[in-house]
């Protein structure tokens, strides 16, 4: 890890870890898969799950309870958010991604760290160590994003590429720092003032304002398929980190590859999502992006215009390529 972990004494082992999601009602089924992965890999830890939304139906609350209740070490907290301060901000993805910048305001001052997770994530192993690493004078800890290797990102946002660009879909937040610096308000104001250059709304804003106060985590804490398909990551300093993604995955982020959409469920690590989905009392049913008559037409088109079969990248392929690059 890029920073020293705190001493793993009994005091820290007894403290709960806090994980947050910011979603609407429709995304509750998907985060139940993430919750199951958290539960299965933290049976000896006290975990408090925070869900922030503008509305959660009773049906979906019951669905959440059925996942969490069998695990006595898990506690579920659902909070409604007043998003009036966010209206008018660019929401390329969804307004709910902006909710994460409000977490320092909504969470108790007694909570010092929280891990924000997108709905398309899996926690593949115990990640307790993340919560107790040294974050002195640091606002966030994240893994680099695919945009980090795009020179246009830095010219657009006007900061140096040596500062990197991270993915806010898996983000450990030092809430004490955010509160001390009133970072939530600063981020929202910057977002309003720079709507013209923002492409990835709150993620762009967080990267700009935290460019000097972020920890770049090893790739295994936010694994994206993009890493395996880009030669950039097969070289130092990322080669060993890429190997750890295969051999010791921590958090998998299915960014752009929604594992519940049949046409997009092609991730190298799709099987991890399937594993936890099958454990659920009500597994998520996969959907087609294309539906109805358009789905029929797509099938007919594929039959009449068969495309050459392309090989699917495997974990073994990645390890073999890493070995050949040594």
């Amino acid at each position: 890890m890029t920073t020293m972990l705190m001493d793993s004494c009994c005091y820290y082992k007894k403290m709960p870890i806090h994980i947050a999601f910011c979603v609407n009602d429709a995304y509750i089924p998907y985060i139940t898969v993430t919750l199951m992965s958290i539960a299965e890999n933290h049976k000896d830890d006290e975990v408090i799950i925070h869900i922030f939304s503008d509305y959660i139906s009773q049906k979906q609350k019951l669905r959440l309870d059925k996942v969490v209740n069998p695990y006595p070490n898990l506690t579920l907290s659902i909070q409604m958010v007043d998003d009036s301060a966010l209206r008018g901000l660019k929401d390329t993805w969804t307004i709910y991604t902006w909710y994460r910048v409000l977490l320092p305001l909504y969470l108790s001052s007694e909570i010092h760290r929280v891990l924000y997770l997108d709905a398309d994530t899996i926690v593949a192993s115990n990640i307790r160590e993340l919560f107790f690493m040294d974050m002195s004078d640091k606002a966030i800890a994240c893994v680099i994003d695919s945009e980090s290797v795009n020179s246009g990102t830095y010219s657009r946002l006007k900061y140096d590429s040596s500062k990197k660009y991270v993915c806010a879909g898996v983000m450990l937040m030092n809430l004490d720092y955010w509160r001390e610096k009133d970072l939530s308000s600063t981020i929202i104001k910057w977002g309003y003032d720079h709507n013209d250059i923002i492409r990835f709304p709150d993620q762009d804003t967080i990267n700009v304002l935290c460019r000097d106060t972020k920890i770049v985590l090893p790739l295994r804490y936010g694994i994206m398929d993009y890493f395996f398909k880009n030669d950039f990551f097969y070289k130092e300093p990322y080669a060993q980190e890429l190997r750890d993604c295969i051999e010791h995955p921590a958090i998998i982020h299915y960014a752009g590859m929604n594992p519940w959409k049949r046409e997009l469920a092609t991730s190298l690590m799709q099987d991890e999502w399937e594993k936890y989905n099958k454990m659920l009392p009500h597994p998520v049913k996969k959907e087609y992006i294309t539906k109805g008559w358009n789905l029929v037409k797509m099938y007919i088109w594929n039959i009449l215009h068969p495309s050459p079969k392309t090989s699917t990248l495997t974990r073994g392929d990645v390890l073999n390529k890493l070995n050949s690059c040594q």
Side-chain angles (χ1 to χ4, degrees):
M1 195 174 287
T2 56
T3 188
M4 294 294 291
L5 292 178
M6 286 185 178
D7 183 20
S8 181
C9 64
C10 295
Y11 172 74
Y12 292 116
K13 289 181 179 179
K14 291 179 180 179
M15 293 193 57
I17 61 177
H18 295 265
I19 300 176
F21 299 86
C22 300
V23 294
N24 64 13
D25 194 63
Y27 269 70
I28 293 298
Y30 310 137
I31 69 169
T32 60
V33 186
T34 319
L35 292 181
M36 179 58 71
S37 71
I38 294 169
E40 284 295 303
N41 288 297
H42 295 82
K43 292 181 177 179
D44 295 326
D45 299 302
E46 181 183 355
V47 183
I48 301 177
I49 304 294
H50 304 269
I51 298 177
F52 294 86
S53 184
D54 56 354
Y55 170 75
I56 302 292
S57 65
Q58 187 60 31
K59 175 183 177 181
Q60 299 298 13
K61 287 179 181 177
L62 291 173
R63 187 168 190 156
L64 289 167
D65 287 341
K66 288 182 179 179
V67 177
V68 173
N69 288 347
Y71 297 87
N73 58 312
L74 263 61
T75 302
L76 180 64
S77 170
I78 299 176
Q79 294 190 57
M80 296 299 107
V81 174
D82 175 4
D83 59 11
S84 56
L86 307 174
R87 292 169 194 164
L89 288 165
K90 186 177 288 185
D91 56 350
T92 305
W93 294 315
T94 166
I95 191 63
Y96 300 99
T97 64
W98 277 104
Y99 281 22
R100 56 192 163 197
V101 307
L102 299 177
L103 295 181
L105 308 179
Y106 275 86
L107 291 170
S108 165
S109 60
E110 295 179 357
I111 300 174
H112 308 290
R113 306 269 179 94
V114 67
L115 177 66
Y116 165 83
L117 293 176
D118 275 353
D120 55 352
T121 56
I122 286 296
V123 178
S125 61
N126 190 287
I127 57 170
R128 183 176 184 81
E129 63 178 9
L130 268 183
F131 294 85
F132 303 109
M133 65 181 181
D134 184 3
M135 289 190 75
S136 302
D137 298 318
K138 300 297 183 182
I140 59 171
C142 308
V143 169
I144 66 169
D145 187 78
S146 58
E147 287 296 307
S148 192
V149 299
N150 179 4
S151 60
T153 298
Y154 305 101
S155 58
R156 176 172 60 85
L157 297 177
K158 299 178 176 59
Y159 74 89
D160 191 85
S161 62
S162 64
K163 306 293 185 180
K164 306 297 184 184
Y165 181 96
V166 295
C167 177
V170 177
M171 180 169 63
L172 182 65
M173 303 170 68
N174 180 354
L175 299 177
D176 293 335
Y177 184 93
W178 280 64
R179 293 172 184 131
E180 178 188 348
K181 303 296 183 182
D182 193 19
L183 197 50
S184 297
S185 298
T186 306
I187 285 173
I188 292 170
K189 184 180 186 305
W190 197 95
Y192 278 118
D193 292 343
H194 296 84
N195 255 345
D196 56 328
I197 67 169
I198 285 176
R199 184 180 174 193
F200 305 109
D202 57 309
Q203 180 168 282
D204 277 354
T205 311
I206 290 169
N207 270 280
V208 170
L209 294 177
C210 299
R211 61 188 180 275
D212 295 315
T213 58
K214 63 173 174 271
I215 295 169
V216 179
L217 293 171
L219 301 180
R220 65 184 289 262
Y221 289 101
I223 303 168
M224 292 182 278
D225 251 46
Y226 174 82
F227 300 154
F228 305 120
K229 298 173 181 177
N230 192 313
D231 288 343
F232 177 83
F233 295 100
Y234 286 83
K235 304 170 185 176
E236 294 303 333
Y238 293 108
Q240 183 55 50
E241 290 188 23
L242 195 63
R243 184 180 297 276
D244 288 340
C245 288
I246 299 296
E247 298 177 345
H248 308 289
I251 301 173
I252 304 168
H253 186 190
Y254 299 93
M257 310 185 74
N258 303 38
W260 53 83
K261 298 289 187 182
R262 292 185 184 276
E263 296 98 323
L264 297 177
T266 58
S267 167
L268 179 74
M269 295 189 165
Q270 176 68 23
D271 59 328
E272 286 290 317
W273 189 89
E274 302 289 354
K275 177 176 73 175
Y276 294 110
N277 187 39
K278 289 176 182 177
M279 293 181 182
L280 290 170
H282 298 290
V284 175
K285 294 181 180 179
K286 285 191 186 173
E287 305 171 351
Y288 286 101
I289 297 174
T290 306
K291 299 179 180 180
W293 176 238
N294 287 329
L295 180 60
V296 175
K297 287 193 291 185
M298 183 185 73
Y299 278 136
I300 295 173
W301 172 268
N302 289 338
I303 292 172
L304 296 177
H305 304 84
S307 57
K309 187 174 182 180
T310 57
S311 59
T312 303
L313 191 68
T314 67
R315 291 174 173 82
D317 293 333
V318 173
L319 292 175
N320 288 336
K321 185 172 180 177
L322 283 167
N323 291 334
S324 67
C325 290
Q326 288 182 342

